[in-house]
Amino acid sequence: KKAIDRVRKAEEKQTAQELANAKKKVKAIKLQNKLSDSDAEALDKQAAAEAELYALQEKSSTDRRNIRKTEIRIEKEEEGRIEKRS
């Protein structure tokens, strides 16, 4: 159980950093596009950065769900072992 907590905390820290970096990248590209004449390439770059951000957000949600499922499975296994001992 402690191992799962360590994994969750490490994943949350890494994901938070990745999301922060992706958000900064999107913000910078949007600002650059706003301040200059945005051509198709610049708009494509913005769209790609936004897609990357959304993909990271989705991955983060999936990872959190998977970790939670693992926690629930471990809790049930522990409950089963305790019941067998009784």
Side-chain angles (χ1 to χ4, degrees), residues 4-86:
I4 295 294
D5 286 338
R6 285 194 300 269
V7 168
R8 182 185 335 103
K9 287 177 184 176
E11 188 276 330
E12 286 174 355
K13 183 177 179 180
Q14 179 180 349
T15 301
Q17 189 169 11
E18 289 174 354
L19 286 170
N21 290 339
K23 287 177 183 178
K24 287 178 187 177
K25 182 178 179 179
V26 169
K27 185 176 181 179
I29 292 170
K30 282 183 173 182
L31 181 60
Q32 183 179 13
N33 287 347
K34 186 176 181 180
L35 296 175
S36 64
D37 292 332
S38 302
D39 58 6
E41 184 179 340
L43 294 174
D44 286 346
K45 188 176 179 181
Q46 179 179 332
E50 290 172 340
E52 181 181 336
L53 174 59
Y54 298 139
L56 282 171
Q57 290 170 331
E58 185 175 336
K59 179 187 177 299
S60 174
S61 295
T62 300
D63 289 347
R64 283 195 311 267
R65 279 192 303 273
N66 288 338
I67 289 171
R68 184 63 190 137
K69 286 177 184 178
T70 301
E71 285 177 323
I72 291 169
R73 183 181 48 80
I74 289 171
E75 288 170 2
K76 287 181 180 181
E77 287 174 0
E78 287 176 358
E79 289 172 5
R81 278 189 232 125
I82 291 171
E83 288 176 8
K84 286 181 182 179
R85 291 181 189 164
S86 300

